Amino acid sequence: MAKTISTKTLAKKVINHEKTLILDVRNTDEFDNWKIEGGKVEVINEPYFNLLDDVEPVSSRLEKDKEIIVVCAKGGSSEMVADLLEEAGFINAYSLEGGMKAWSEHLEPVKIGDLTDGGSLYQFVRLGKGCLSYFIESNGEAAIIDTARMTDVYENFAEKQGIQIKHLIDTHLHADHISGGLSLASKVDGKYHLPPKDATEVTFDYTPLEEGNDIIVGNTAVKVHPVYSPGHTIGSTSFIIDDTYLLTGDILFVKSIGRPDLAGLAEDWVGDLRNTLYNRYKELSDDLVVLPAHYSFAEELGEGGKVSARLGDLYSKNSGLQVEDEGVFRKMVTENLPPQPNAYQDIRQTNLGQITPEHEEQKEMEIGPNRCAVEG
């Protein structure tokens, strides 16, 4: 029987920038669309049907004593290939438990830093989709920003630290993944906060995010300052935490900027996006640490798996912030758009509370990359 490796063990390798060899045995079109990536990850794609008889088609590209992690869609085919590899003398072949489906759901907590008046800020990295969520804890209370669907991870994290989750906050109405904010708020009897301009069609009660209305986490007054920052959606809201961190949602990323078209309104919202990036954020301190809601490139994973950058540095390095001509900017963000995320209309409707797909269907809806950024 094939040896297996957990998504958690693989995640540690990726965020610690360990050399990792992946043999992905899915069909090439699935592989080209979405794969495991990381700074020191090497990936070989050889479809499973080429390896049904033996592993000869791929053996010349592998070393007998090196670790090989075999990956498929759900973990079945990869076990068979790992078995064949072991029979052929590749003694360190492992199958990824649950395949890409499980990889899509794994959340890895990474500590960003301590807060001035006590407490800490954590980034939960969803390596399989490039989604980032944030856990702010202070004096026994927590707020979570851009909560993923797999809410048990945050609950377990809070329980281990003896923390009560009080606030669930979404920077905007998400279209690439299903928010866990509302369901977790119901479970822990917390408040669910959403920008009102993104919530005109919701079917549930929520607490409106409004600039000037700070959210207090713990009695050490860690203030979460909402900053209205439209562009990716009309309600997009950023947060300044501890006068140190700028959570930009899907407006600004480390190597790119947000796309304004996921509600079909690219032409309408491109002006808002430009105003936020070129005016609103420029009024803020250059020393703020930008913490986005997504990343698109393996090289954005920094030390220990952190995804962050100094705001001032992004104004000198991020290509989306270098376009002086408004017409050129408009063309860039309406023409350089990757394909829409998988099932994005259904995901939007789910996050509005208009449809309630079964658990397995929700998993399928989210499979694939996030695609929230403009491509350079």
Side-chain angles (χ1 to χ4, degrees), residues 252-257 313-322:
L252 176 61
F253 307 119
V254 171
K255 292 184 77 72
S256 53
I257 60 175
D313 293 343
L314 294 188
Y315 274 110
S316 61
K317 294 177 183 173
N318 186 314
S319 59
L321 301 177
Q322 315 298 319

Side-chain angles (χ1 to χ4, degrees), residues 110-130:
V110 175
K111 187 172 181 179
I112 296 295
D114 293 320
L115 303 176
T116 308
D117 294 328
S120 307
L121 174 62
Y122 294 85
Q123 185 179 65
F124 277 67
V125 184
R126 189 174 177 184
L127 291 156
K129 273 190 78 67

Side-chain angles (χ1 to χ4, degrees), residues 31-73:
F31 170 80
D32 288 342
N33 181 48
W34 177 50
K35 54 186 167 287
I36 295 173
E37 295 179 273
K40 291 198 174 176
V41 174
E42 181 191 347
V43 190
I44 295 169
N45 175 229
E46 189 64 54
Y48 168 68
F49 58 77
N50 292 344
L51 305 170
L52 288 173
D53 297 325
D54 60 55
V55 295
E56 198 210 337
V58 77
S59 58
S60 63
R61 289 175 280 167
L62 304 172
E63 293 179 43
K64 292 263 165 123
D65 59 340
K66 290 283 174 69
E67 182 183 74
I68 305 158
I69 300 171
V70 189
V71 176
C72 66

